[in-house]
């Protein structure tokens, strides 16, 4: 497995997540892929406003 991939457990309301999965499927994506896209957009908007976030690469 790619060492750059992090597994993360998300706790969320069941009904809300079922609706989210429906929308992701409608758009032809998995829920995981859709969440990843939201995270990328959020980080991009934050960095555009506040500058690049430095993280430990290890």
């Amino acid at each position: 497995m790619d060492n750059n991939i992090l597994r993360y457990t998300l706790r969320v309301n069941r009904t809300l997540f079922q609706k989210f999965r429906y929308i992701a499927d409608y758009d032809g994506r998995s829920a995981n892929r859709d969440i990843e896209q939201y995270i990328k957009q959020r980080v991009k908007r934050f960095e555009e406003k506040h500058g690049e976030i430095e993280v430990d690469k290890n």
Side-chain angles (χ1 to χ4, degrees):
M1 178 177 243
D2 185 352
N3 286 338
N4 203 30
I5 301 297
L6 172 71
R7 289 180 163 247
Y8 178 80
T9 301
L10 177 66
R11 292 180 299 271
V12 64
N13 175 277
R14 182 180 305 275
T15 302
L16 180 62
F17 191 71
Q18 287 172 326
K19 291 179 180 184
F20 180 79
R21 287 184 78 170
Y22 179 93
I23 295 167
D25 186 56
Y26 182 87
D27 289 336
R29 290 193 291 260
S30 67
N32 188 74
R33 180 62 65 194
D34 222 13
I35 291 168
E36 185 178 4
Q37 292 305 311
Y38 279 113
I39 292 170
K40 285 179 181 180
Q41 291 170 9
R42 176 69 171 117
V43 169
K44 182 180 179 202
R45 284 193 311 266
F46 183 92
E47 288 185 329
E48 286 172 348
K49 184 175 182 180
H50 300 283
E52 186 174 351
I53 301 168
E54 297 293 328
V55 296
D56 183 11
K57 302 288 185 187
N58 295 324

